[in-house]
């Protein structure tokens, strides 16, 4: 469980770093690009074997890593558009509800166990996602640009499912690094286009914050994959616990560190999240 705990803490730290982006006026795109380069370098440094590009290209997972690199960037932009057009609550609900995709995939494809207690825990987890994500001043409006939250839901779910399905048991650092390398290259292209089309300039402050984001971003995926590779671990159980724990912890950190308002619905969502974790874990 230590791998899962580190992944949860790292994913929650991503939330904190993004909050600091806004506080210190870090350019988001620039920080994201630095983040991907940092994560990619960290993966290569952690890989103990000899790195041969021609051998990487010939691996079974190389094409999947390229596709995931594209998805990382694409879904990030879809998330931003969803937040702008449909509201932050909609974006949060759509991305977190996507946990149902890897859960169902694990049960159907990997023939993982399923029982009344586990199903109840998963249902409570989805209810917790909705209640925890809805803010007092925010309304869930899905009629405007409905395709955006749908794409965000499907894309986020596909990323989680694909990472678990394609990751090689013996090359997790190299697999993760390759994904981040693809995302970094695409990010550089987007950044250059953005700089050419606007008057924005490169901001040095984006570098340290981008590095911090890259460190926790890499750890969130690396340790999640290690947790998924532990013997007798079911992905449907692990993904449920991972997503719900991150959501509950992020909400509490928002309350303590950033003085965010938490409504009664949010508190009920946090309580249901804890109950769902207990049900799924003990199932």
């Amino acid at each position: 469980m230590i791998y899962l705990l580190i992944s949860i803490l790292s994913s929650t730290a991503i939330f904190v770093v993004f909050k600091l982006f806004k506080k210190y006026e870090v350019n988001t795109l620039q920080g994201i690009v630095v983040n991907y380069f940092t994560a990619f370098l960290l993966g290569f440094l952690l890989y103990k074997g000899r790195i041969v590009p021609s051998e990487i290209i010939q691996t079974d997972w190389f094409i999947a890593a390229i596709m995931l690199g594209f998805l990382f960037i694409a879904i990030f932009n879809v998330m931003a558009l969803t937040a702008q057009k449909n509201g932050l609550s909609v974006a949060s609900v759509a991305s977190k509800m996507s946990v149902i995709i890897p859960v169902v995939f694990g049960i159907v494809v990997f023939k993982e166990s399923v029982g009344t207690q586990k199903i109840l825990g998963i249902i409570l987890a989805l209810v917790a996602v909705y209640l925890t994500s809805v803010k007092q001043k925010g309304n869930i409006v899905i009629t405007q640009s409905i395709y955006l939250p749908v794409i965000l839901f499907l894309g986020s779910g596909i990323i989680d499912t694909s990472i678990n399905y394609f990751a090689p048991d013996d090359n997790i650092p190299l697999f993760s690094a390759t994904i981040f390398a693809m995302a970094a290259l695409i990010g550089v292209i987007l950044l250059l286009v953005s700089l050419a089309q606007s008057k924005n300039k490169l901001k040095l402050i984006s570098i340290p914050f981008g590095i911090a984001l890259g460190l926790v971003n890499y750890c969130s995926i690396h340790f999640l994959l290690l947790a998924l590779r532990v013997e007798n671990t079911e992905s449907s159980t692990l993904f449920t616990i991972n997503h719900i724990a991150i959501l509950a912890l992020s909400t509490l950190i928002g309350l303590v560190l950033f003085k965010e308002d938490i409504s009664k619905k949010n508190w009920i969502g946090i309580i249901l999240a804890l109950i769902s974790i207990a049900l799924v874990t003990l199932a």
Side-chain angles (χ1 to χ4, degrees):
M1 292 296 286
I2 187 66
Y3 292 145
L4 179 58
L5 178 60
I6 296 175
S7 177
I8 290 170
L9 292 175
S10 299
S11 297
T12 305
I14 292 174
F15 158 81
V16 176
V17 175
F18 270 125
K19 282 286 187 180
L20 294 176
F21 268 33
K22 183 177 180 180
K23 180 178 179 180
Y24 292 97
E25 298 182 347
V26 176
N27 181 283
T28 302
L29 180 57
Q30 293 175 22
I32 289 294
V33 172
V34 174
N35 140 76
Y36 283 136
F37 269 107
T38 302
F40 133 69
L41 288 173
L42 185 59
F44 276 120
L45 289 174
L46 289 175
Y47 181 62
K48 298 178 181 179
R50 191 166 63 96
I51 298 173
V52 182
S54 60
E55 292 181 1
I56 295 176
I57 293 173
Q58 294 175 5
T59 59
D60 296 335
W61 47 262
F62 180 69
I63 299 300
I66 293 177
M67 293 174 61
L68 282 166
F70 276 100
L71 276 175
F72 270 38
I73 289 287
I75 295 305
F76 171 77
N77 284 302
V78 170
M79 186 179 295
L81 286 172
T82 304
Q84 293 167 7
K85 293 182 178 294
N86 299 82
L88 202 55
S89 295
V90 175
S92 181
V93 170
S95 61
K96 292 296 184 291
M97 281 284 192
S98 67
V99 68
I100 196 65
I101 295 177
V103 167
V104 171
F105 187 88
I107 293 172
V108 174
V109 177
F110 296 139
K111 308 298 180 184
E112 295 176 354
S113 64
V114 58
T116 304
Q117 183 175 322
K118 189 172 185 178
I119 292 174
L120 178 59
I122 292 171
I123 292 173
L124 282 180
L126 295 176
V127 175
V129 166
Y130 175 80
L131 293 175
T132 310
S133 300
V134 177
K135 302 303 178 184
Q136 270 184 320
K137 297 179 181 179
N139 297 314
I140 296 295
V141 181
I142 60 174
T143 54
Q144 183 182 6
S145 303
I146 180 63
Y147 66 92
L148 288 174
V150 171
I151 293 173
L152 178 57
F153 170 82
L154 293 174
S156 299
I158 290 171
I159 286 175
D160 285 339
T161 305
S162 300
I163 285 176
N164 179 33
Y165 185 78
F166 290 107
D169 294 341
D170 57 341
N171 274 337
I172 287 178
L174 195 59
F175 175 73
S176 303
T178 304
I179 294 174
F180 285 121
M182 293 300 114
L185 289 175
I186 299 167
V188 168
I189 294 172
L190 292 176
L191 181 58
L192 291 175
V193 171
S194 175
L195 291 173
Q197 293 179 344
S198 67
K199 295 181 180 179
N200 292 332
K201 296 182 179 180
L202 291 174
K203 301 176 70 173
L204 289 179
I205 197 171
S206 301
I207 296 176
F209 281 95
I211 291 174
L213 181 62
L215 292 174
V216 293
N217 196 8
Y218 180 84
C219 288
S220 68
I221 291 179
H222 178 79
F223 286 103
L224 176 61
L225 287 173
L226 289 179
L228 285 164
R229 294 300 177 268
V230 173
E231 191 175 357
N232 298 322
T233 296
E234 294 191 340
S235 63
S236 56
T237 297
L238 191 141
F239 273 117
T240 302
I241 296 172
N242 183 65
H243 276 65
I244 301 308
I246 293 169
L247 185 64
L249 187 56
S250 297
T251 303
L252 291 175
I253 287 179
L255 171 67
V256 175
L257 293 184
F258 300 105
K259 310 302 179 184
E260 293 182 349
D261 294 327
I262 297 184
S263 66
K264 290 182 180 179
K265 284 184 178 180
N266 298 152
W267 281 115
I268 294 172
I270 292 173
I271 294 170
L272 288 179
L274 297 176
I275 294 173
S276 71
I277 289 174
L279 288 172
V280 172
T281 303
L282 301 174

